[in-house]
Amino acid sequence: RVRGEAQAAVARPLAVRLLFKPVRLAGRDDHHLVVSDHLMGCQYAPVLGAAVDLLRCPVCAVALDERERALLCATGHSFDIARQGYVSLFAGGGRRGETDTPEMVEAREAFLGAGHYARLSAALVEEAAGVSTPGVVLDIGAGTGHHLARLLDALPERIGLALDASSAALRRAARSHPRAAAVGADAWEALPLRDGVAALILSVFAPRNAAEM
């Protein structure tokens, strides 16, 4: 579970829900991920270094540590960091069901970029503005990271975690905001996150596993 002790849910049109989770952010100021040329100039990838302490192995649920181009747990499970700046944390290396294709992600990016859901993003920002407890902004089923980026613009003290099962979406999410880390994960399984890391959870038109919230 990634939630804290207190919780309030605010229903929004079109099945959008913003969940408030007062918890403490684990992080180290001196924690930096090794970033090299294989990231193909993805300037946002180093934020993964700040997120490592928030993650856990999807296979054995123990802590992850950074290595060059990979995250590794103490029992030997290793997860490569993609050259575009995201890491996939799927148990057994697999995904459940179909995921968004590059064409679908490109179309969604164009649609959102045209401002069609600007009012929705503004409503999420408004609801999040009153949350003062420490923790990250977690977006489950983040897609391109569009809504997460809008919240991070308004919450300069926080970092964001964009979770999605689509590698095409994760490539976009990894560069959606300088403080957003992109992580591949199955929303229907146990999330590869340590308990109590999120102050805010977004689930916008996406699957959600209530047991993990």
Side-chain angles (χ1 to χ4, degrees), residues 30-61:
D30 61 345
H31 198 68
H32 298 288
L33 186 67
V34 177
V35 180
S36 57
D37 291 342
H38 80 287
L39 292 175
M40 295 180 61
C42 180
Q43 68 269 37
Y44 300 152
V47 76
L48 272 173
V52 171
D53 286 336
L54 311 174
L55 306 175
R56 63 184 176 188
C57 176
V59 180
C60 59

